[in-house]
Amino acid sequence: MTTPILATKLYAPPPRQNVVLRPRLIERLHEVLQRKLTLVSAPAGFGKTTLISEWIAACQQLSPQVCAAWLSLDEGDNELTRFLTYVIAALQTVAPSIGADLVPLLQESQPPTDSLLTALLNEIARIPDHILLILDDYHLIDAKAVDEALSFMIEYLPPQVHLIIATREDPPLNLARLRARGQLTEVRVRDLRFSPSEATEFLNRGMALNLSAVDIAALEERTEGWIAGLQLAALSLQGHQDSSGFIRAFAGDHRYIVDYLVSEVLDSQSDSIRRFLLQTAILDRFNASLCDAVSGSQKSKELLESLERGNFFLIPLDDKRQWYRYHHLFADVLSAHLMAEQPDQIAELHRRASTWYAHNDWLPEAIQHALVAQDFQQAATLIERAMSEMRRSRQEALLLSWLQALPEEIFRSRPSLSIHYVGTLLQLGRLEGIEARLDDAERWLTALLEQPDSPVAGVESGDWRRWSASVAMYRGALALIRGDAAAALRCAGQGLEVAPDDDDLLRGSTAGILALGNWALGDLEAAERWYSECINRLERIGHYSDAIGCSLALADIRLAQGRLRGAMSAYEHGLQLADQSKSLLRGTADMYVGMSQLAYERGTSTAAVQYLSKSEELGVFAELPQNQYRWCVAMARLRQSEGELDEALDLLQEAERLYQGDFSPNVRPIPALKARLWIAQGKLDAAVDWARERRLAVEDDLSYLHEFEYVTLARLRLAQYQRDREVHYLQESVSLLDRLLSAAEAGRRAGSVIEILVVQALAHQQRGDLAGALAALERALTLAEPEQYLRLFVDEGSAMKMLLEEAAKRHFAPNYVQQLLSATGTPEVSTATARATSTTAHLSEPLSDRELDVLRLLGTDLSGPEIADQLVISLNTLRTHTKNIYSKLGVGSRRAAVRRADDLNLL
């Protein structure tokens, strides 16, 4: 079952009403068409909708290239995804291809991002015709997210698009700024009031009343040009012989006038019409078939046509005049009369409407009417029927509002509702109440097990295993959110034992929980195995979007395992799944971001940039909540490699702002990435503050979940030693790296092992232990060569270059080492090398490569003879190099040379 966009939505300008054209306002609106926004703001009954529809008709007479996309809003449009989906549907009435790929992303991206809105605006910009986008009844919107999205769209609106907002109250947009920029046209009450001449034209020609000038002036004075009041008065006057006496008889404010005049209109109608009006007042929108079902009449079509001819505040919603609505003021008074005269019929009327909507597969409206009727059993049945599609299309917010409207006793006899309630709350990140719902479902399942033959609503006899497995799975998901991976594994394992073999969605979802739990605990082999099963089952039932998301997680796991080729295979498989869909799926752009990171690691920066551009072209970054932050992280690494450290830091700051956690373990937290960048910038105090905030200490117990942070801490201690020459920093770094290496090896995390060995090699180099440094480096090279790691070594800078040169002399992995050394000769080799080259250029005479080698060893604890031995030179040659270094740096001692080199970022 597919939940359709409401067929009763108004997506085109309403047909022109029998109201005289208002040339003074139409002409004014023509003159300001080049502005971004026209705001028509006035209370009910001032003809806002009629004016706009007349203006559109006039525009299209002058220029057939002008297209109008009309969206009539209601209270249900306060959810951002729903609002934007309807905006796209309205635009598709003038350009059918607009947003075709974006609608699935809107439903799956929670919440939709500015970048997704950018993609929509880019599509609109490619349309050559002038577009008028009308949002009618915007006062019914009371959602900050919708207001912010609309503000963004206004800010970047293409020049050929003009937005028109009709509302009873000013929207919370930055109207002052638009007004100051000359981008806003305002039509307000003073503009919309009928002038005496317009009132004469309307009453005598439009309504055929033939009133005197005195009577018209009296009416205009009493209504203050209020159009709804004039129209109601005209309808009432059609049944009175003494027009002047009737006009003198009523006075007061708008509310009083409406009540008085509608009562007059209703009293003059036949019983059948009056009954029809009151009974159909419960409907926001209606057609003849729906009216027949609600009113019990078989003549609704004729009645609707008659009411429209009689100007009974009936607004057609399409050119074929199949769907209508009442004017809001008229509907309000009709509802008040219905409540006063037939209160016992209201629930039954809503129940009939619900039945009609359900029969026609418009489940959202069917559910809403059932809830208003307080027919909670029917509402629950309909919610169960709609549940799967609502979850699939990511309409959890609307689904939750329905579930919250049900009384508690409904859930006690319907375990499916309790279980789906839990899934909805988890998807929305709302944990309160989940435990109680799961307890309710378990109690019911226990009772069913004890009395298997008892009839219980919502569950057939063979469903016990499915519901039990679902409860266990959700308990596992809840444990994951709370950080208890062991409990998650235990619960998910219990669920898998009872889940039906043929339920691919349930078994696949449970496999996903098992994968996540093992991943958080560092058992990557088990995590990979479970993710593979999860993906296979989701593929089998066509849940390609979820399978793509799992492919992203699988690639992350393989990267931690040091399997770059395996990660690339996961990304490519994700793209293959995306190709099987008719529309762009969430997660597709993530595949290209991951491929960019792999290309960068292998030294092909051009390809890395191309992959990121491809990700952007696919429709911005909204396919997964993580995607936008991942894109920023990948671009930050590229910028850092180019020496643009400040820009890289800005990108990481943006990534941190955009990050949205989910069930996946956050094993590479952005604050740790920022700390590494601060270390590269020499801003060690900032990195120290990070470690203090995270309460990291070298003696802490280690876990895979925080492994990346502790490797970062080891790097920080090494940098502190280079700056302060305090041996305890170096000792702490070496000790921590030894423990990290043992843990990573035990967990078979080759990706972590390679990085730890690289940092170990640098630490041993700082100790003056070249043999130890080369031993660690050789192991790293052995593990890295099959997967062709490159930037992991090259980005360490000149210190690593010297070690690689020593490795080349000893014929370690000769071809691979030569490849790495060749990469260090390129301008983008590393931030450290680029910075050192730039700095030495400002010296009176740059240091030679050999002098840089000597300078680096001067920063260790090695004696002069030991340095000479390390570099295989004589002691006299070492003294010559040292003298030259002192002269070029302008210092007179070894300690001063090291400090000066630190200041210049030469070490």
Side-chain angles (χ1 to χ4, degrees), residues 21-232:
L21 189 70
R22 308 182 69 181
R24 64 182 177 89
L25 289 179
I26 299 298
E27 187 63 30
R28 177 182 170 190
L29 292 174
H30 279 331
E31 294 174 356
V32 295
L33 193 58
Q34 73 278 9
R35 296 180 181 175
K36 284 188 174 185
L37 173 64
T38 292
L39 177 68
V40 184
S41 179
F46 272 92
K48 300 182 291 294
T49 299
T50 301
L51 171 65
I52 296 170
S53 63
E54 294 285 358
W55 177 39
I56 290 170
C59 287
Q60 291 174 334
Q61 286 180 351
L62 293 173
S63 176
Q65 287 75 34
V66 174
C67 303
W70 189 295
L71 176 58
S72 184
L73 299 165
D74 57 44
E75 291 90 343
D77 300 331
N78 278 285
E79 200 274 316
L80 179 56
T81 296
R82 184 181 173 109
F83 172 81
L84 293 175
T85 300
Y86 286 147
V87 168
I88 291 174
L91 290 168
Q92 287 174 342
T93 63
V94 299
S97 63
I98 282 183
D101 290 334
L102 294 178
V103 171
L105 302 184
L106 275 172
Q107 295 173 340
E108 294 169 349
S109 174
Q110 297 293 328
T113 63
D114 288 350
S115 48
L116 196 149
L117 294 175
T118 302
L120 175 60
L121 292 171
N122 287 340
E123 289 195 30
I124 297 172
R126 289 193 286 269
I127 298 173
D129 295 335
H130 200 108
I131 297 177
L132 304 179
L133 174 59
I134 301 95
L135 301 180
D136 196 12
D137 291 332
Y138 194 82
H139 56 274
L140 298 174
I141 298 298
D142 184 23
K144 183 178 180 182
V146 174
D147 294 330
E148 290 176 346
L150 187 60
S151 296
F152 181 90
M153 292 180 69
I154 293 172
E155 181 70 20
Y156 300 103
L157 207 61
Q160 80 275 26
V161 181
H162 185 78
L163 178 65
I164 305 159
I165 295 177
T167 177
R168 295 183 187 178
E169 58 189 41
D170 283 4
L173 308 174
N174 198 333
L175 299 179
R177 183 171 62 185
L178 292 169
R179 194 178 293 122
R181 292 177 177 176
Q183 297 173 338
L184 173 65
T185 300
E186 298 172 83
V187 178
R188 298 189 174 276
V189 171
R190 61 180 178 275
D191 307 301
L192 291 167
R193 295 185 192 280
F194 265 2
S195 66
S197 61
E198 288 172 334
T200 300
E201 187 79 5
F202 170 71
L203 292 168
N204 283 348
R205 292 188 58 186
M207 302 298 291
L209 289 176
N210 196 27
L211 299 177
S212 68
V214 173
D215 286 340
I216 291 174
L219 267 181
E220 198 275 334
E221 180 183 359
R222 281 168 171 74
T223 60
E224 297 180 340
W226 181 47
I227 301 169
L230 285 170
Q231 189 173 359
L232 282 166

Side-chain angles (χ1 to χ4, degrees), residues 535-790:
I535 292 170
N536 289 336
R537 287 188 177 272
L538 292 175
E539 280 185 55
R540 194 180 302 166
I541 55 177
H543 282 231
Y544 297 129
S545 182
D546 292 326
I548 289 173
C550 292
S551 294
L552 179 65
L554 183 61
D556 284 343
I557 289 170
R558 289 175 176 173
L559 287 173
Q561 291 175 315
R563 298 168 55 196
L564 303 188
R565 289 187 178 86
M568 180 60 79
S569 176
Y571 294 136
E572 291 171 344
H573 184 67
L575 292 179
Q576 291 171 3
L577 293 175
D579 288 340
Q580 298 183 41
S581 174
K582 295 180 180 179
S583 59
L584 184 63
L585 295 178
R586 65 171 184 150
T588 306
D590 293 87
M591 302 299 106
Y592 286 104
V593 173
M595 294 166 79
S596 169
Q597 292 174 308
L598 289 177
Y600 174 83
E601 179 55 51
R602 288 175 167 164
T604 53
S605 297
T606 301
V609 172
Q610 290 172 345
Y611 281 132
L612 285 181
S613 297
K614 179 65 176 176
S615 171
E616 200 167 2
E617 290 170 6
L618 281 175
V620 296
F621 325 112
E623 287 75 26
L624 276 180
Q626 303 99 313
N627 180 259
Q628 197 168 359
Y629 98 82
R630 286 176 180 264
W631 191 95
C632 292
V633 169
M635 184 59 77
R637 196 175 180 196
L638 283 169
R639 291 291 178 261
Q640 182 176 356
S641 74
E642 296 164 354
E644 301 292 342
L645 302 191
D646 289 339
E647 185 176 347
L649 185 59
D650 288 342
L651 284 163
L652 289 181
Q653 299 278 22
E654 179 68 4
E656 189 171 25
R657 184 185 72 81
L658 295 170
Y659 177 79
Q660 294 181 11
D662 59 5
F663 291 102
S664 299
N666 186 16
V667 293
R668 292 176 65 88
I670 297 169
L673 291 171
K674 289 167 57 181
R676 292 188 176 205
L677 190 54
W678 285 325
I679 294 170
Q681 290 178 309
K683 299 178 180 179
L684 300 190
D685 290 343
V688 169
D689 289 342
W690 159 79
R692 185 179 299 113
E693 289 173 5
R694 294 293 299 144
R695 298 183 179 181
L696 301 176
V698 294
E699 64 274 8
D700 290 344
D701 293 334
L702 302 179
S703 69
Y704 167 66
L705 203 56
H706 301 289
E707 182 177 74
F708 187 80
E709 292 178 298
Y710 282 106
V711 174
T712 305
L713 179 62
R715 288 179 175 275
L716 173 58
R717 291 293 183 260
L718 191 56
Q720 288 176 288
Y721 170 73
Q722 290 173 310
R723 181 188 67 180
D724 301 335
R725 316 312 296 176
E726 295 184 17
V727 177
H728 72 91
Y729 287 135
L730 183 58
Q731 292 172 339
E732 288 179 1
S733 178
V734 171
S735 173
L736 180 55
L737 289 167
D738 287 341
R739 295 172 58 222
L740 285 166
L741 181 61
S742 297
E745 288 176 331
R748 298 183 180 182
R749 299 187 292 273
S752 300
V753 169
I754 295 170
E755 183 188 3
I756 294 166
L757 287 169
V758 165
V759 182
Q760 260 192 346
L762 297 172
H764 286 303
Q765 184 187 42
Q766 285 295 315
R767 295 175 71 179
D769 181 7
L770 183 60
L774 291 174
L777 179 60
E778 184 177 18
R779 288 190 61 199
L781 292 169
T782 300
L783 292 171
E785 183 178 12
E787 298 291 336
Q788 290 297 293
Y789 281 87
L790 187 141

